[in-house]
Amino acid sequence: MFCKIHFARPVKKKRLFIGKMKGDVLMKKKLPILLCAVLALFILFGFTEITQAEETAWNYKKPFQKRVGAFTYHAYKSKDGKKAWIYKIDIKKKKAKSLSIPSKLKGKKVTRIGYYDKKYKERDYTKNIFGAYVERFHNYYRSAVTNTTIKKVIIPKSVTVMEATTFCGLTALKSVVIPPKVEELKEETFYGCINLKTVTLPEKLKYLDPAAFQGCPSLKKMRLSPKNQTYTVRDHCVIANENQALVYALPGNENFQIPEGIKIIKQYAFNNCISRTVNIPASVTEIEGKAFERPLLGQNEYIKDVTVSAENQVYARDGRCIYNTAKKSLSVVIAGKDKTILISPQVENLDNTHSIVNFRGMIYSLEKTVFPKTLKSATDPALTDLGDAKKVYFLGEKPPEILNCIPERSPLPIFCRELHVPENSLEVYKNFYKQHDCDVPSEQWFTFRSEEELDL
């Protein structure tokens, strides 16, 4: 699997190709910026940082072990000697069908489970509880598949903290009950548990990362106590009570009908959805950017179409686009079967509130992207996020205004093979690219006299 991330982009003429990573083109002197981008993504999607009090509460220098049946538990003890944190489990019996984590180890109450690295911000990987690496930017969960037989995991009620990627890659796991006092489900906790069908969420849950169950296509049922004050589960959705926001959508059936009453679709809410069609009701007033995409992995290839109720007062559909009628901004674009993105002429602003569906792969594997003549502005990195196709078309005689440019990064499509602009605006666009320090070789520029002559 590959993630769709625009790393630091070259802005000068000199380029350096590093390896053969599907066109990842980086300047040698931009590598520090790449590291900054990685760290920023970890902050955006990444591990919840442990507070200073929690960090100093554990004795990291003297871990201990305890074998129980087929499993050996590696743990830290709290400095007061009352608690245990299981950070790794060794499996002696490779064909074990269930795992029952003890509530106590050597008389210490088990309150925390999962791997945590204090230096995670300096690295692009973590581990699951079995010690297997989880490379979040590369092979993801596949290298973390340490067991293909465990169907059931019993987590003791004493546990209050579960780290990210704890049970990532348990491909046989079918059901799990998360302890009632766990308040936070972090990213990729159960990533790649492809046979997970039923989950009981904790009663005290206050935060659910939308990627906690990413890569769990069999997940059909979630249970949550009505006593939970933060969320409600209904109609295959986890909904935030405070603002009626759709936080997480279960994989779903052929058609996914977002329940009426939902007001906000949160970022990455549909990251695990495998429904072919998603229907947006009249009640939705806000769709956050990347709502239909996957953290780090990019577009959702399973969603083939997105529709919106004709009664919706905020959003409408034109062609293969869902757009905000007041802001004239793009919300969802459905890639064509021919790997094209056609931005609707109803869109005047690209403000990074969009999602791309019905497409698999990196943006540069698109055949073409067409920006309409109505486009007035684009907030960086919207143009590169949508426009690094093989062929890029700007239909407007005047280029869009670029807002909030990211330093040391190209805000314009430069990796295309062909860049098409109106014939009488060729010099205008060349100056536009020059002003933003973006280099496009002369042989990549193409012109047209009218839209009618284009095969769009």
Side-chain angles (χ1 to χ4, degrees):
M1 295 184 182
F2 294 92
C3 55
K4 179 181 72 63
I5 304 175
H6 286 285
F7 293 127
R9 301 165 56 83
V11 295
K12 302 297 181 182
K13 295 183 178 180
K14 186 175 180 181
R15 299 178 181 177
L16 176 68
F17 288 82
I18 300 177
K20 299 180 180 180
M21 294 185 63
K22 290 192 175 183
D24 285 336
V25 184
L26 303 173
M27 285 184 67
K28 182 181 280 187
K29 67 180 184 178
K30 299 300 185 224
L31 288 178
I33 299 167
L34 167 60
L35 295 177
C36 291
V38 171
L39 298 186
L41 280 167
F42 267 103
I43 294 172
L44 180 61
F45 309 118
F47 303 87
T48 302
E49 197 166 358
I50 293 177
T51 64
Q52 185 65 28
E54 292 172 318
E55 189 66 57
T56 58
W58 300 93
N59 188 343
Y60 299 100
K61 295 182 179 180
K62 293 183 179 181
F64 67 95
Q65 300 178 18
K66 174 72 174 180
R67 180 175 174 181
V68 181
F71 304 96
T72 300
Y73 298 93
H74 299 256
Y76 300 119
K77 61 181 178 180
S78 59
K79 290 184 177 179
D80 62 10
K82 296 179 180 180
K83 301 176 182 178
W85 164 13
I86 297 174
Y87 65 89
K88 183 183 176 184
I89 301 174
D90 292 331
I91 307 174
K92 183 177 181 181
K93 186 179 179 182
K94 294 296 182 182
K95 293 185 179 180
K97 294 187 181 298
S98 65
L99 166 63
S100 182
I101 298 174
S103 59
K104 286 187 177 183
L105 284 180
K106 294 187 176 181
K108 299 169 182 58
K109 184 179 179 181
V110 175
T111 61
R112 185 170 164 186
I113 57 175
Y115 173 84
Y116 175 78
D117 186 347
K118 290 185 289 185
K119 296 183 179 180
Y120 72 85
K121 288 185 179 179
E122 302 171 14
R123 301 169 180 169
D124 64 354
Y125 65 84
T126 182
K127 296 179 183 180
N128 67 10
I129 200 168
F130 303 103
Y133 286 101
V134 182
E135 296 188 75
R136 306 182 73 235
F137 294 93
H138 303 106
N139 208 25
Y140 236 77
Y141 88 89
R142 297 185 185 280
S143 58
V145 178
T146 44
N147 183 280
T148 59
T149 62
I150 293 178
K151 297 181 179 181
K152 188 175 183 179
V153 172
I154 301 173
I155 308 169
K157 293 182 178 181
S158 57
V159 170
T160 59
V161 177
M162 294 171 59
E163 298 299 340
T165 70
T166 294
F167 296 107
C168 173
L170 283 182
T171 58
L173 184 64
K174 290 188 175 182
S175 66
V176 65
V177 176
I178 300 171
K181 293 183 180 180
V182 171
E183 296 185 354
E184 186 176 358
L185 277 178
K186 302 175 184 178
E187 64 282 2
E188 294 99 39
T189 305
F190 293 92
Y191 186 87
C193 295
I194 56 176
N195 286 299
L196 182 61
K197 295 180 180 180
T198 305
V199 171
T200 300
L201 297 172
E203 183 180 317
K204 300 295 183 180
L205 185 64
K206 293 181 179 179
Y207 174 73
L208 171 65
D209 191 288
F213 298 97
Q214 187 170 313
C216 299
S218 303
L219 186 54
K220 301 298 181 183
K221 184 179 292 186
M222 275 189 170
R223 301 188 183 100
L224 178 63
S225 169
K227 295 180 181 180
N228 186 280
Q229 298 180 2
T230 304
Y231 298 111
T232 298
V233 176
R234 65 181 173 91
D235 299 328
H236 304 288
C237 298
V238 179
I239 303 165
N241 296 331
E242 182 179 12
N243 53 6
Q244 290 301 295
L246 173 53
V247 174
Y248 175 79
L250 273 71
N253 300 315
E254 185 75 6
N255 297 309
F256 195 107
Q257 178 62 56
I258 299 174
E260 188 66 45
I262 294 295
K263 295 181 179 179
I264 302 170
I265 304 176
K266 298 291 288 183
Q267 186 179 53
Y268 303 121
F270 280 86
N271 77 84
N272 198 36
C273 182
I274 58 174
S275 298
R276 291 182 62 85
T277 302
V278 176
N279 306 298
I280 301 172
S283 58
V284 170
T285 59
E286 181 181 353
I287 302 174
E288 293 188 356
K290 311 299 181 187
F292 295 87
E293 296 190 18
R294 302 173 297 172
L296 304 179
L297 297 180
Q299 305 84 16
N300 188 320
E301 64 188 278
Y302 300 103
I303 299 176
K304 305 299 182 184
D305 199 14
V306 180
T307 66
V308 60
S309 169
E311 304 300 318
N312 193 295
Q313 299 297 305
V314 178
Y315 295 95
R317 175 164 172 163
D318 182 66
R320 297 204 298 261
C321 293
I322 306 293
Y323 68 99
N324 185 301
T325 57
K327 297 180 179 179
K328 298 291 184 179
S329 60
L330 181 67
S331 296
V332 183
V333 59
I334 300 107
K337 293 181 180 179
D338 53 353
K339 293 186 178 181
T340 63
I341 285 181
L342 301 176
I343 307 299
S344 163
Q346 296 295 328
V347 173
E348 297 180 3
N349 308 292
L350 296 174
D351 56 6
N352 295 319
T353 58
H354 60 270
S355 297
I356 305 171
V357 298
N358 192 36
F359 176 69
R360 178 181 183 180
M362 307 293 270
I363 289 297
Y364 53 70
S365 63
L366 281 168
E367 290 298 320
K368 67 178 70 168
T369 296
V370 181
F371 295 109
K373 63 172 62 175
T374 55
L375 188 61
K376 295 179 180 179
S377 68
T379 302
D380 194 22
L383 287 182
T384 55
D385 187 47
L386 292 162
D388 268 345
K390 296 174 184 177
K391 299 179 181 180
V392 175
Y393 295 79
F394 284 100
L395 302 185
E397 294 187 357
K398 182 180 179 181
E401 180 185 3
I402 307 302
L403 306 176
N404 299 327
C405 287
I406 300 173
E408 301 295 331
R409 183 186 186 282
S410 166
L412 306 177
I414 59 174
F415 295 127
C416 51
R417 296 177 187 174
E418 299 179 11
L419 182 57
H420 296 255
V421 299
E423 185 178 60
N424 59 354
S425 298
L426 177 59
E427 292 305 315
V428 174
Y429 275 92
K430 284 187 175 181
N431 288 331
F432 174 57
Y433 267 69
K434 185 176 180 180
Q435 289 169 6
H436 289 283
D437 291 324
C438 296
D439 175 44
V440 175
S442 58
E443 64 269 17
Q444 291 178 212
W445 287 97
F446 292 80
T447 62
F448 58 89
R449 294 181 180 179
S450 66
E451 292 182 40
E452 286 73 22
E453 70 182 64
L454 298 174
D455 182 21
L456 302 178

